[in-house]
Amino acid sequence: METEFLPPHLRKYVVEQHYEKYTPIDQAVWRYILRQLRAFLGKHAHECYLEGLEKTGIDVERIPKIDEISKKLQAFGWRAYPVSGFIPPAAFMELQSLGVLPIASDMRTLEHLLYTPAPDIVHEAAGHAPILVHPEFAKYLTEYAQVAKKAIISKEDLNLYEAIRELSDIKENPASSAAEIKAAEENLDKVSKSISHVSEATELGRMNWWTAEYGLIGSLSNPKLFGAGLLSSVGEAKWCLDAKVKKIPLSVDCIKQGYDITEPQPQLYVTPDFKTLSRVLEDMAEQMAFRLGGLKGLNKAIEAQSVNTAELNSGIQISGQIIEAITDNKGDIAYLRLQGPTQLCYKDKQLVGHDKSYHAEGFGTPVGHLKALPGKCPSEFTASEWESLGVKQGSSVKLEYTSGVVVTGEVTGLLARDGKTLILTLKNASAKLGDRVLFAPEWGMFDMAVGCSVPSVFGGAADREAYGETDDFVAKRVPAPKYSETELKLQKQYGSLREVREQKLNGPALEEKLSVIIAIHDKEFPQDWLLRLEAIELLNSRAATSALKAKLEKDLQVLSAKDEKTKNLIQDGLALAGTL
């Protein structure tokens, strides 16, 4: 699959789908789910849903090939790439901002047929892809991703993401023990309870949850479904339309409402149309650090304890962990401090000689106006204005800021771009605010970022590719399942039944083939219901009368007594098969 157009730091998330990995059971699970979804959502989903299934090439009979979906989506300005399970939120959003729908290539197990906490191809392909054919929704999703990739992600968010991923992977792995599942659940609970503040990424996650994942559209009294979480689960789809579920008009206040991914949602939000999604998103963006800048934006970054970027009005971008914004006696920003590897950029490109290895121990810079020329931002100074202040190659200089910060040192260089001064470099330099030492000569060269305000603060490094790996961009893979001898026998049974369906057999010939399969099933797999259901479906459509059909109906009646979940799955399947 061609990934050349992707930035290198995103290519590592793209995997091969390896279509051959899907077992006959996987195909049967897909078929059951898609038949149920089409039957129910044809009446209750947004009108573009069925059209979207057809236009994106998503078929009931087989798990789709993601490269085929991608070819179809290109007609709507999108493409699809396979990924492995959960990928970091920042990477997911950046991919979407580039018009890429990441599709988890994994398939849920029969045990998790109704719902899986892990992303899978049912959720991504059958849930997300069909609605992308609607231009207003596709526009919103792109806009959302552009905003979300600017969101500040906290260290706590990353810890929570890892805990969720670990639990979902363990639950989906048939080889996992009860003890492993319990330990992962306890870890997630512990991490969840340790969250100390709601970050921008969390708020954007909530907006995504209440719109693209669990959104309703239309009137409060008769809404239709468009969220992928609802479009990929018949159980959730039916539940959400119940009167017990409170329907709330969508507004930016949805970012205040948390959610539990393990429980049905007690309330959902209804947008009157897709255009409203974009308006609500804009309301959210106005509250974010990349728009606010200043102390509010910086304090969000400081609280996050993660890699973020402060952009000065000159355009220079300072990327690293921001730990302090020192203010003057008026409350204005006087000095910024960052710890650990720091990168300096302009227009999202790293400046030569200012990578994180050069600024490995952190970074600090004054911000504001100089007393000598208080009416003009230093970034706007002309060459003659800098010279009037004594700033020229090899000269010693003393710069006093209106904030009270005083900088001294020997000038070694000025770096300018597009007529603006970005960096003033001094050696043997010192910087103080009152009695507080901000920079000392023994610390090395002092590269001052030039600017008088901080109009924007945003999540992540400005030049992610050059900055390199950060915690939020770690690529992991869902481990391949290992099947026991019994599981392989069961897969062979489902494979045999699929061959019979594809052979287009009818009447006695069909019943003869199915009888052999069912005889083995009765002996080896008496508790399996899905294969028996598929056999009844074949007999209903291709054999007028059948003693085998009567036997299978009786078998399923017995299996229905196992529990309420199994009973409902069987009854829903029989209803579509024309038996109920």
Side-chain angles (χ1 to χ4, degrees), residues 289-577:
F290 83 98
R291 293 271 182 90
L292 292 173
L295 273 177
K296 285 186 177 179
L298 289 167
N299 285 334
K300 285 188 175 189
I302 291 166
E303 189 174 36
Q305 299 179 38
S306 54
V307 173
N308 295 293
T309 298
E311 183 170 325
L312 305 192
N313 64 305
S314 60
I316 191 169
Q317 299 160 318
I318 311 164
S319 299
Q321 186 181 339
I322 302 168
I323 58 171
E324 188 179 11
I326 302 171
T327 57
D328 61 19
N329 54 18
K330 294 180 182 179
D332 295 328
I333 302 166
Y335 198 90
L336 294 182
R337 292 181 60 233
L338 294 86
Q339 72 176 15
T342 303
Q343 168 198 68
L344 302 185
C345 299
Y346 182 64
K347 294 183 177 180
D348 299 332
K349 291 297 182 182
Q350 183 172 278
L351 293 168
V352 175
H354 293 284
D355 57 31
K356 68 177 186 180
S357 61
Y358 179 71
H359 298 291
E361 302 302 321
F363 187 82
T365 187
V367 177
H369 294 85
L370 291 171
K371 285 184 178 180
L373 293 169
K376 191 173 186 179
C377 181
S379 64
E380 302 287 346
F381 287 177
T382 63
S384 60
E385 285 172 328
W386 278 118
E387 283 196 19
S388 72
L389 298 173
V391 177
K392 55 186 177 179
Q393 189 77 25
S395 65
S396 295
V397 67
K398 180 178 182 181
L399 300 174
E400 297 183 59
Y401 283 78
T402 56
S403 63
V405 172
V406 178
V407 176
T408 61
E410 183 181 330
V411 178
T412 64
L414 281 171
L415 177 67
R417 292 285 188 277
D418 300 326
K420 295 181 180 180
T421 303
L422 301 183
I423 299 174
L424 169 60
T425 302
L426 307 174
K427 66 179 181 180
N428 301 319
S430 68
K432 292 183 178 180
L433 179 59
D435 294 331
R436 182 173 179 182
V437 175
L438 302 173
F439 194 89
E442 59 268 25
W443 297 356
M445 302 294 283
F446 188 27
D447 297 288
M448 294 166 45
V450 180
C452 54
S453 65
V454 185
S456 183
V457 182
F458 57 87
D463 188 340
R464 292 183 184 273
E465 181 183 344
Y467 192 90
E469 195 76 79
T470 60
D471 289 340
D472 60 329
F473 270 79
V474 175
K476 294 187 178 180
R477 300 286 184 264
V478 174
K482 296 179 181 179
Y483 299 111
S484 66
E485 187 175 335
T486 300
E487 288 169 331
L488 291 173
K489 285 182 181 178
L490 183 60
Q491 291 172 13
K492 185 176 180 181
Q493 283 286 95
Y494 274 85
S496 297
L497 188 137
R498 190 171 184 85
E499 287 176 10
V500 170
R501 179 188 292 110
E502 292 172 351
Q503 288 170 0
K504 308 294 184 183
L505 297 175
N506 292 285
L510 171 66
E511 185 163 356
E512 181 181 350
K513 286 276 190 178
L514 289 178
S515 294
V516 173
I517 296 171
I518 296 302
I520 297 172
H521 229 60
D522 287 344
K523 180 180 178 182
E524 301 281 349
F525 308 104
Q527 298 302 311
D528 180 65
W529 60 271
L530 182 55
L531 182 139
R532 292 178 170 87
L533 178 65
E534 289 215 312
I536 286 180
E537 181 197 324
L538 280 173
L539 291 167
N540 273 348
S541 61
R542 301 185 191 177
T545 59
S546 170
L548 179 59
K549 176 186 168 185
K551 173 202 175 308
L552 289 169
E553 288 174 350
K554 185 176 180 181
D555 290 344
L556 289 177
Q557 186 176 7
V558 172
L559 290 172
S560 292
K562 179 183 177 183
D563 54 52
E564 194 67 21
K565 175 186 170 184
T566 304
K567 177 183 176 182
N568 291 336
L569 287 169
I570 291 173
Q571 287 186 339
D572 288 345
L574 289 173
L576 277 188

Side-chain angles (χ1 to χ4, degrees), residues 40 43-47 215-226 240-243 245 247-248 269-272:
F40 184 78
K43 300 176 183 177
H44 298 288
H46 185 273
E47 60 187 17
L216 299 174
I217 188 168
S219 66
L220 291 177
S221 59
N222 186 31
K224 300 295 185 182
L225 288 61
F226 77 90
C240 81
L241 295 175
D242 193 287
V245 179
K247 312 300 190 299
I248 305 170
Y269 291 83
V270 184
T271 180

